[in-house]
Amino acid sequence: MTRWGLIGASTIAREWVIGAIRANSGEVAAVMSSDAARGAAYTAENGIARSTTSLDEIVSDPDIDAVYISTTNELHREQAVAAARAGKHVLCEKPLATRLEDAIAMRDEAAKTGVVMATNHHLRNAATHRAMRAAIAEGRIGRPLAARVFHAVYLPEHLQGWRLQRADAGGGVILDITVHDLDTLRFVLGEDPEEVIAFAQSGGMSAEGIEDGVMGTFRFRSGLIAQFHDAFTIRYARTGFEVHGTEGSLIASDCMTQRAVGDVVLRNEEGQAPIEIDRVGLYERGVARFHAAIAGKGEPAATLEDGIWSLASGLAALQSTRTGRAVRIDPKL
Ligand code: NDP
């Protein structure tokens, strides 16, 4: 059984990841919060045995095998590096950091200490995206030419905090949502992006200088172009993910979400047909793959390198919105 320490008394842990750990027979042994009272309340609310305010204490706890980091993004590097140095495996939230060099330092520490360090890009685990990846790899749409990602949502009120207010914490829709789009594109298409161009918007929700909406285009190595629309401000849109190839199109609906929902259809000269998919929980599958990786069985669903690619792409998109120019993506791997 894997014994976990949570670094961060966060909403994502409470709503999804604690349940996913327990569904995989893992134990949530402790939580670290920077605030003792919040940590104590969190342990009571979530049935966790103990809390601490000390990073050193949680990473050196001999009864913990792995940590899940879901603090705000500027804190991930220090916490991940400390955990790896103490020999703990690390599942870290996206974006891995606010600067590329921080994420690279995390990767280097994991390589040095031999721990498993992974990124919690949950959308790779969605049945919709796995089915599209398989269909493309089998050649069912011929040569993919274009993709479109619809990921404009309404940020729930209880999350309208640092994402809208704190640039230093990696606030803004690009580091929050565009990084997921890019990771899902890399996963589904099986190739890497080369450059990005984007326009951002402040639609009235975010603080000055922080974007709450963005549209842009990634260009991939094969020449494929992929359009994305991400927002915190759109209440009634549907999410979706489409890939269009020379012989067919794959169209997924309601798939850019935390829940195990959504559908995929294949359209080609024979008409339109649904693709059969399973309904496995996205976070459950992510934790299962992480546990397996610790046991030496395969890779995590999203590796740290995958998180570095999505961070580098998000930072490039952000730079493009500021300069008005296409920006090359270099993850420095
Ligand atoms: P939260 O705002 O819920 O938590 C982040 C930090 O805020 C916590 O670590 C906590 O600090 C502090 N905090 C929590 N509640 C309060 C409060 N009432 N008052 C003051 N501070 C508080 O963030 P999220 O859970 O939304 O996001 C955390 C991380 O997870 C981010 O990296 C985000 O990008 C990622 N994320 C990933 C998702 C995915 O699907 N992969 C989905 C959502 C988020 P402390 O720990 O010190 O108590």
Side-chain angles (χ1 to χ4, degrees), residues 160-211:
Q160 292 183 17
W162 60 268
R163 279 180 181 75
L164 302 173
Q165 304 294 333
R166 290 189 49 208
D168 70 301
V173 75
I174 293 176
L175 290 187
D176 199 50
I177 296 185
T178 309
V179 293
H180 277 311
D181 299 351
L182 185 279
D183 183 67
T184 311
L185 284 163
R186 280 187 67 241
F187 175 72
V188 169
L189 299 169
E191 66 164 319
D192 296 326
E194 281 197 334
E195 63 179 335
V196 59
I197 187 159
F199 283 107
Q201 160 188 72
S202 290
M205 193 187 257
S206 56
E208 171 104 20
I210 297 181
E211 80 291 346

Side-chain angles (χ1 to χ4, degrees), residues 144-147 189 191 218-226 243-244:
L145 294 171
L189 299 169
E191 66 164 319
F218 288 109
R219 190 173 59 73
F220 281 71
R221 280 186 188 154
S222 66
L224 179 142
I225 47 178
V243 186
H244 304 282

